[in-house]
Amino acid sequence: MLGFAQTEELEASSNCETVSHYLHAHERKSLLRFLTCGSVDDGKSTLIGRLLYDTQLLMEDQLAALAADSRRHGTTGDDLDFALLVDGLASEREQGITIDVAYRFFATEQRKFIVADTPGHEQYTRNMATGASNADLAIILVDARQGILDQTRRHSFIVSLLGIRHVVLAINKIDLVGYSQAVFDEIETAYRSFAEPLGFVSLQAIPLSARYGDNVLSRSAKLPWYQGPTLIEHLESIEVESDRRAAPFRMPVQWVNRPNLDFRGFAGTIAAGVVRPGDRVAVARSGVTTLVKRIVTQDGDLPEAGAGEAVTLMLEDEIDVSRGDVLAAAAERPEVSDQFAAHVLWMHDDPLIPGRPYLIKLATSAVGASVTHIKHRVDINNFAKLATKTLEKNEVGFVNIMTQAPLAFDPFCRVHDTGAFIIIDRISNHTVGAGMIDFSLRRASNIHWQALDVNMNARAIAKGQKPALLWFTGLSGAGKSTIANLVEKRLHAIGKHTYLLDGDNVRHGLNRDLGFTDADRVENIRRVAEAAKLMVDAGLIVLASFISPFRAERRMARDLFAAGQFIEIFIDTPLEVAEGRDPKGLYQRARNGLIQNFTGIGSPYERPEAPHITITPDLSADEAAELIVSHLDRGCYLGSATG
Amino acid sequence: MTPAPQASATLPIAQRRPAPSSPSLTHLQRLEAESIHIIREVAAELRNPVMLYSVGKDSAVMLHLAIKAFYPSQLPFPLLHIDTTWKFKEMIRFRDETVARLGLNLLVRRNEAGLAEGITPFTHNSSIYTQIMKTEALKSALSSFGFDAAFGGARRDEEKSRAKERVFSLRSDSHGWDPKNQRPELWNLYNGRLKAGESVRVFPLSNWTETDIWQYIMRERIPLVSLYFAAKRPVVERDGQWIMVDDDRLPLRPGEVPEMRSVRFRTLGCYPLTAATESTAATVPEVLQEMLVARTSERSGRLIDHDEAASMEKKKREGYF
C-alpha cells in the first residue's frame, strides 16, 4: 500500500497521469523480506506496529479495534499498544507473547516489505528459524538498558545458520537510557566483536525508540550524535540481491508437463543461475546432458530466465527426467551423493536419534534417510561444541546423513535452494527438523559420471577445497609473513593443500634477476601473480606475502583471477609500529640513507581501497590468522564448515 | 463474459519482464513465481487436489496463476464452488461464463439439509449461518469427493489470525485447525504428507496484499465480476452500511426504501452479509486510486468478522477456510 507522502501527493493531484505514474513506479518496486528477533521485552512487536502505523498502513477500523484492545490488554497506559496489532492468536494476546511466526506487509515509495515477526524465547527457536529461512535481512533488537544477552547471541547464531547475511542491530528503548551515545557505542562495539565469526556481509547499528518512533521513519532530534541512516532509510536502500543469478544454473524439476505427444516440458522454479535456449544442461543424478530447446510460459517463450522464476523448460533430446531430478549447468554440476554432512536444527518434542529412519525433502525430491552420526551439538548461546547422543527440540547439531538413494545438492552456502532440506517423521508425518548441507561425504558409488576434463574444478573437488590466492599486503615489518605462515599452518592442519610465496623463496630463484627499480618491482609482482595463477589452477590455496605498495600492481594481480579467487588481505600496521619492530634493521638503514625508495620512508605505500580483510594492529597474529581462516570457511573455500 | 474495465490508453503498458540479465525481479514477479511454485507442488505431491473458487478477485488471481503454472496443459484438478444460494446473481453468471470460456471443470455444492431447514442470513445470526451454509457444506464436499488438498485464496494481510497461517495448513480428519500444532514451514519446502483422513488447505496467495492483487489484475488484464466496479445499484442503509437489494428475498425493515446509488464492493460474499461502499471507481486504475486513499480495511465490509473478538480464529478452528 501507500506511504504517507504518496497519499498526500495523490490527494493533491488526482489526475490520471499522476496515478498511472505512481502505478507504474509501484509495479517496479523490489521486495525485501526481513525478520525481527528479540525477546518479549525488547519491543519487536511494538517496532513492527510502529512501522505499520508510521507508513499509514493501519486503517480506521483497525485503529478503533486497537484502541479498544489497548485499554483491555495493553501495557502502555492510555497510549496505543502497537504490540497488540501483531500478536494475532487469542492466546498470544492474553499472555502478551508472540508464539508463532506472523507475517506483516507494508510499503514505502522505494520498496515493498514482508516482515516475519518471530518469537524470542529459546523454546521457540524453531519458529524463528522458520521466519529466518525466507528472509533477506534480520533486525536483531537489543534493549539499550540490557545490552547484549544470551538471547542476542542465540538469535544472531540462528540468523547466521539460516544463511542471512545482512543484519540490523536495533538498539531499542534508547529513550530509557537518556539517548546516550556512550551506551549505544558500548553495545555496538561488543556486538561487532562477538558477531565477527558469523560472517554477516553488512551490519548496521541504529539507536531507536520503537515506542516513540525515534529513528524508525523519522530522524530523531534527540539523537544528534547519530549520523547513520534511520531504520527505514536503511531497509529501503540495502542491497541484498545475493549472487543467486551468478551461481551455476540449477532447476529442481517439480512437475512433468505433458499435455499431448508433441509437448514434453519440465516445470520448476530456478534455484540458481540463468538459463537460455541452447545452453547445455545435465540431469544431475544420471549425468546425461542435452540442450535447452525452449523456455515456455503462457506469456510466450523467453530468451532467458534466472533464479527465482517459475518456468517450463523443453529439452532437445528425449531423455529420462522426472520430479526430483535437478537440471544443472553441464559444466558446473551439483554434488551427487548418498552421504553428506549438515547442520540440523531439531524441531520436535521427540529427539533426533541416530539410526532412526526419517524422510528428507530436498528441493523436489523426497528420500528415506537416517542420521549416521552426530558429530557434535552447538550450544546456541555460546557456540561451544558439545558431545551428544541425541538432539532435543530447538537444538542444533552437526551430523552425518545417509540417504537411501543418491541426491543432487549443493553446499547450502553456495545455493540455498539446493542445499536446504527438511526432515519428516515417517510415522507422524510431522516436519521434525531443518537442515543445511555443508559438504558431500563421498561420491555415490553407483553413479557413472561422464569423464570430466581434468580442469581446475576437478582438481579442486579432488582436494576438497576452493582454490584461491590470498594476497597479503602491508609495510615491511607489518607482520605479513608471520600471519601468512600461521594461516598456512592452520590450513595444513585441517588437510588443505596450500603454498606460500614470499620474497624469500621468490627473490632467490624465479626473480633472481630483478632489482628494486620501479620496473623491476612491477615485473616482480607480475611473475609472482602468474606463478600463483598456475598454482590456483592446480587447485591450491596460495598465500602471497609481498609489500606490493602500489594499487596498480595489486590490481594487475587481481585481474588475472576470476571473482572470488583473489582475496586481498591488508595488514594495517602503522608505520611507527612497523618501524619500531624493524626485524631486519631495514628501516634503520633507510633512515640512514643506505636504502633508496624504501616503502614508507622514501617511497609511498598506497593503502588498499577495498580489501576483503583488514587486519588491525589490535589483533595478535593468532587472532589475525583465525579471522582469515574463518573468512575462508564462510566463503566455502575449505569445503566444509568447521562450526 | 464481463471483461475487466481496463486502463485507458494513457496508462503505461505494464512491463511484464525485466530486461535480459536484469539482476532482480520486481515484487509482483517474485509473488507470481512463489504462487506458481506452491500450486505445482500441490499438483505433484497430493493425490486429489481441488481449487476453491469463490468468484471473487482473489479467486480470479489464483485461477489465473494456476493456468499459468500448468500451461499449455489443462488444470490437473477441478474447481469447487460452495453455493449458499445467497451469492449475488451476477457472481453466478460470471462464474458460469468463466468456466465456459476457459473450459474448466467446476463442481458446485450446496448444503441441501440447511436449505431444507430454511436457514438464511435473516433467520440465524451470521456466524451460525456461515457455519452451516459455508463451512459445513465445504467440509461435506471435501469429504464426499475425497479431496486431500484444497486451494484457497486467503491472504495473510487480511486479518490477524490469517497472518500466522501456513501456506500448507494441515486439517484433521474433522477439518479442524490447531494453531499450536502447525508444521514448521521453511524455505520453499512444503510438507504435504498426510495420514488417512487428513487434508491440507493450501494458500498460494499468502504473501500477496490487496494492492498486489489489484496491480496484478491490471498487469495481467484478468477479467473480474463487475460488482467490483462502481455502478448505480439498488441499496438500503442498514446499521450504517449499504446493503444491496440483489433480489426480492431481502426482507426490508420498517422505513427502508431501496435507492439507486453508485457503489462497488471491495470483497464479495453472500449479498445480505456484504456491505457496499459508495464509489465512482469504474475501472481498475480508478479502483486502485481509490484504494490508495482508503481509510478502512477490506474486511470491514464483511459482517461476519465483526461478530465476536477473535472470530476468524474461532471459525478456522471449526474448519472455515
Side-chain angles (χ1 to χ4, degrees):
Chain A
M1 282 217 195
L2 259 197
F4 185 55
Q6 296 153 320
T7 314
E8 280 193 329
E9 185 187 313
L10 275 170
E11 280 172 333
S13 165
S14 63
N15 68 58
C16 188
E17 205 171 309
T18 307
V19 175
S20 64
H21 174 77
Y22 166 76
L23 294 176
H24 190 56
H26 189 90
E27 188 178 277
R28 295 160 67 93
K29 281 181 186 181
S30 61
L31 177 63
L32 182 80
R33 299 185 66 144
F34 65 91
L35 88 157
T36 52
C37 10
S39 76
V40 180
D41 303 321
D42 293 338
K44 86 190 130 38
S45 293
T46 308
L47 178 64
I48 295 173
R50 167 61 68 181
L51 283 168
L52 299 179
Y53 183 77
D54 283 0
T55 52
Q56 295 263 311
L57 257 287
L58 292 181
M59 301 299 185
E60 281 168 1
D61 53 318
Q62 291 171 328
L63 277 176
L66 174 62
D69 278 358
S70 295
R71 282 190 295 276
R72 201 179 317 151
H73 304 296
T75 58
T76 52
D78 288 337
D79 293 339
L80 295 178
D81 185 350
F82 295 118
L84 295 175
L85 275 173
V86 290
D87 289 336
L89 301 176
S91 50
E92 293 179 323
R93 284 199 296 279
E94 285 153 16
Q95 298 171 42
I97 55 166
T98 309
I99 295 171
D100 210 331
V101 186
Y103 296 92
R104 299 289 155 185
F105 307 83
F106 69 98
T108 66
E109 281 187 56
Q110 313 297 324
R111 266 196 174 149
K112 299 201 57 123
F113 299 93
I114 300 179
V115 190
D117 181 16
T118 61
H121 293 280
E122 188 158 1
Q123 68 263 37
Y124 301 121
T125 294
R126 63 191 192 123
N127 307 70
M128 201 186 123
T130 301
S133 72
N134 283 314
D136 307 310
L137 173 146
I139 297 179
I140 294 176
L141 273 116
V142 173
D143 183 332
R145 297 168 303 175
Q146 307 274 342
I148 290 167
L149 304 174
D150 268 0
Q151 58 132 340
T152 315
R153 282 183 270 274
R154 185 172 76 241
H155 295 163
S156 302
F157 175 71
I158 300 293
V159 157
S160 162
L161 183 71
L162 272 289
I164 294 180
R165 288 290 165 260
H166 300 274
V167 163
V168 172
L169 180 69
I171 299 174
N172 191 26
K173 307 195 184 182
I174 197 79
D175 52 304
L176 297 181
V177 295
Y179 297 94
S180 159
Q181 178 173 12
V183 170
F184 173 82
D185 287 346
E186 189 185 328
I187 295 173
E188 179 181 4
T189 304
Y191 186 83
R192 280 190 188 280
S193 73
F194 112 82
E196 171 60 39
L198 296 177
F200 299 128
V201 170
S202 78
L203 169 57
Q204 177 71 48
I206 303 176
L208 54 83
S209 165
R211 185 165 172 200
Y212 297 108
D214 296 287
N215 276 353
V216 179
L217 251 70
S218 50
R219 188 161 291 282
S220 171
K222 295 169 183 147
L223 296 160
W225 45 266
Y226 174 72
Q227 304 299 318
T230 62
L231 179 62
I232 202 75
E233 282 168 0
H234 185 67
L235 294 177
E236 281 182 328
S237 61
I238 178 89
E239 189 46 65
V240 293
E241 276 303 328
S242 60
D243 35 15
R244 281 177 82 197
R245 282 176 72 99
F249 171 69
R250 304 280 186 262
M251 190 189 90
V253 173
Q254 276 189 292
W255 191 76
V256 179
N257 192 339
R258 194 118 214 228
N260 55 56
L261 290 176
D262 300 328
F263 189 98
R264 186 158 170 263
F266 303 98
T269 304
I270 299 175
V274 171
V275 68
R276 299 177 190 83
D279 283 358
R280 180 159 291 277
V281 292
V283 183
R285 280 188 294 203
S286 68
V288 175
T289 72
T290 182
L291 302 178
V292 174
K293 187 176 178 183
R294 293 171 54 196
I295 305 171
V296 178
T297 76
Q298 197 190 16
D299 302 323
D301 282 10
L302 303 179
E304 173 185 285
E309 295 187 64
V311 295
T312 298
L313 299 185
M314 287 183 79
L315 304 175
E316 285 288 355
D317 303 304
E318 285 270 328
I319 57 173
D320 186 16
V321 182
S322 55
R323 176 174 167 85
D325 276 320
V326 176
L327 297 175
E332 290 181 276
R333 303 183 195 187
E335 306 268 354
V336 176
S337 175
D338 57 3
Q339 287 188 37
F340 52 81
H343 278 83
V344 163
L345 168 63
W346 201 246
M347 305 182 126
H348 201 261
D349 291 328
D350 301 335
L352 179 156
I353 298 170
R356 190 173 173 195
Y358 297 102
L359 279 173
I360 276 185
K361 184 173 180 187
L362 187 152
T364 58
S365 44
V367 298
S370 61
V371 168
T372 54
H373 176 55
I374 304 178
K375 298 182 187 186
H376 60 254
R377 164 169 99 74
V378 182
D379 184 319
I380 58 175
N381 291 312
N382 59 21
F383 316 156
K385 297 172 187 174
L386 309 169
T388 186
K389 295 261 189 286
T390 62
L391 277 188
E392 303 290 333
K393 188 171 173 179
N394 293 313
E395 290 184 345
V396 173
F398 187 43
V399 305
N400 288 348
I401 288 179
M402 186 163 73
T403 57
Q404 288 176 343
L407 282 174
F409 59 84
D410 290 284
F412 177 74
C413 66
R414 192 157 189 230
V415 181
H416 281 196
D417 288 352
T418 49
F421 58 91
I422 55 172
I423 305 176
I424 299 170
D425 186 276
R426 299 189 82 127
I427 296 156
S428 70
N429 289 325
H430 281 300
T431 301
V432 292
M436 290 128 291
I437 295 180
D438 289 281
F439 52 88
S440 171
L441 286 169
R442 69 168 191 197
R443 183 162 300 157
S445 52
N446 57 342
I447 293 300
H448 298 288
W449 280 76
Q450 286 182 298
L452 282 177
D453 289 338
V454 181
N455 56 17
M456 186 188 78
N457 277 339
R459 297 183 197 103
I461 288 165
K463 291 185 171 61
Q465 64 190 32
K466 193 160 100 184
L469 170 59
L470 311 185
W471 190 277
F472 293 77
T473 174
L475 294 167
S476 175
K480 297 182 299 296
S481 294
T482 308
I483 295 168
N485 269 309
L486 286 171
V487 170
E488 188 178 30
K489 276 185 193 164
R490 284 170 188 246
L491 294 178
H492 183 75
I494 55 171
K496 300 302 142 191
H497 301 252
T498 59
Y499 193 78
L500 176 64
L501 288 168
D502 64 14
D504 289 342
N505 62 16
V506 170
R507 283 273 179 192
H508 295 298
L510 179 64
N511 291 354
R512 186 169 51 194
D513 56 324
L514 299 179
F516 290 89
T517 64
D518 280 359
D520 279 0
R521 280 173 179 262
V522 172
E523 176 61 13
N524 180 46
I525 295 302
R526 189 193 70 79
R527 289 188 197 174
V528 167
E530 289 287 359
K533 183 175 163 60
L534 293 175
M535 293 181 178
V536 167
D537 193 52
L540 299 180
I541 296 174
V542 183
L543 303 90
S545 169
F546 293 89
I547 297 172
S548 47
F550 303 121
R551 281 185 199 120
E553 61 190 14
R554 293 194 301 260
R555 186 176 309 125
M556 173 186 73
R558 174 186 295 226
D559 287 348
L560 289 174
F561 294 85
Q565 281 181 0
F566 184 94
I567 299 169
E568 187 171 63
I569 300 167
F570 176 32
I571 311 299
D572 188 9
T573 305
L575 177 63
E576 55 277 15
V577 176
E579 187 169 356
R581 291 178 187 159
D582 204 6
K584 298 173 189 165
L586 297 172
Y587 283 96
Q588 190 60 47
R589 295 178 66 201
R591 292 284 182 201
N592 293 341
L594 298 174
I595 305 176
Q596 302 298 312
N597 299 330
F598 190 75
T599 301
I601 307 291
S603 178
Y605 177 83
E606 296 173 1
R607 295 170 63 87
E609 282 166 338
H612 297 90
I613 303 173
T614 300
I615 302 299
T616 48
D618 55 305
L619 292 178
S620 71
D622 273 316
E623 287 168 336
E626 180 62 38
L627 185 74
I628 293 164
V629 172
S630 68
H631 179 95
L632 295 176
D633 191 15
R634 289 195 307 273
C636 293
Y637 290 93
L638 309 184
S640 68
T642 52
Chain B
M1 164 182 141
T2 311
Q6 282 305 334
S8 68
T10 58
L11 202 78
I13 297 302
Q15 187 183 342
R16 292 199 171 204
R17 304 201 46 74
S21 294
S22 161
S24 62
L25 305 178
T26 67
H27 76 279
L28 281 181
Q29 288 172 323
R30 273 179 80 169
L31 290 170
E32 178 188 70
E34 179 187 65
S35 299
I36 288 175
H37 180 84
I38 293 163
I39 293 167
R40 286 171 172 170
E41 280 299 284
V42 172
E45 289 215 325
L46 278 297
R47 186 177 39 81
N48 188 17
V50 67
M51 180 167 277
L52 273 287
Y53 181 65
S54 74
V55 198
K57 65 185 191 311
D58 302 307
S59 273
V61 166
M62 182 166 64
L63 175 60
H64 185 82
L65 290 163
I67 289 168
K68 280 195 163 190
F70 302 109
Y71 175 85
S73 289
Q74 292 289 303
L75 284 193
F77 42 73
L79 305 186
L80 173 64
H81 183 227
I82 300 301
D83 185 4
T84 59
T85 74
W86 291 94
K87 301 292 175 192
F88 291 88
K89 288 194 299 280
E90 203 188 316
M91 289 171 70
I92 303 302
R93 192 160 56 236
F94 179 83
R95 177 195 75 189
D96 295 340
E97 285 165 0
T98 301
V99 165
R101 173 168 54 89
L102 298 172
L104 303 168
N105 176 13
L106 174 76
L107 308 166
V108 178
R109 280 298 174 275
R110 302 171 175 184
N111 185 345
E112 299 296 346
L115 288 174
E117 284 175 43
I119 291 170
T120 72
F122 315 111
T123 57
H124 295 74
N125 76 32
S126 70
S127 69
I128 291 175
Y129 164 79
T130 303
Q131 170 68 23
I132 294 174
M133 299 308 289
K134 277 176 85 170
T135 309
E136 292 305 325
L138 172 64
K139 282 155 63 171
S140 126
L142 295 177
S143 298
S144 67
F145 286 103
F147 292 125
D148 58 351
F151 291 102
R155 309 187 318 266
R156 285 171 175 157
D157 80 325
E158 285 178 75
E159 199 271 340
K160 277 198 285 193
S161 81
R162 294 238 195 250
K164 308 212 165 183
E165 182 69 277
R166 297 288 189 271
V167 172
F168 273 43
S169 177
L170 185 70
R171 302 304 166 103
S172 67
D173 49 9
S174 59
H175 300 277
W177 179 64
D178 178 1
K180 286 188 179 165
N181 194 28
Q182 298 192 83
R183 291 175 179 172
E185 207 163 64
L186 294 99
W187 300 291
N188 59 1
L189 297 173
Y190 303 101
N191 177 357
R193 299 185 67 84
L194 304 173
K195 285 192 263 196
E198 287 178 341
S199 63
V200 64
R201 308 279 171 93
V202 181
F203 303 105
L205 304 181
S206 286
N207 287 325
W208 295 60
T209 64
E210 188 184 10
T211 315
D212 297 329
I213 293 286
W214 279 106
Q215 285 183 327
Y216 191 70
I217 286 166
M218 186 163 87
R219 187 183 91 158
E220 300 286 311
R221 301 175 182 267
I222 299 171
L224 284 192
V225 62
S226 68
L227 292 161
Y228 284 111
F229 304 101
K232 295 270 190 197
R233 296 188 171 97
V235 290
V236 294
E237 187 176 0
R238 180 172 289 181
D239 305 328
Q241 295 190 292
W242 294 108
I243 301 296
M244 180 169 161
V245 186
D246 195 46
D247 58 34
D248 56 13
R249 294 181 295 169
L250 183 74
L252 294 181
R253 294 176 186 171
E256 284 183 346
V257 180
E259 52 184 309
M260 297 300 286
R261 282 191 174 261
S262 178
V263 295
R264 69 178 182 88
F265 295 85
R266 289 179 67 182
T267 177
L268 292 176
C270 298
Y271 82 81
L273 296 174
T274 307
T277 51
E278 290 202 81
S279 166
T280 55
T283 64
V284 176
E286 284 169 10
V287 167
L288 263 164
Q289 181 184 359
E290 205 173 80
M291 277 181 52
L292 301 180
V293 295
R295 297 299 306 142
T296 56
S297 72
E298 182 183 17
R299 293 196 78 85
S300 69
R302 290 225 177 168
L303 307 186
I304 58 170
D305 284 357
H306 297 306
D307 266 13
E308 53 190 288
S311 63
M312 182 65 83
E313 184 180 344
K314 181 167 177 295
K315 279 200 286 288
K316 285 171 53 144
R317 286 170 183 273
E318 290 163 355
Y320 182 70
F321 233 75

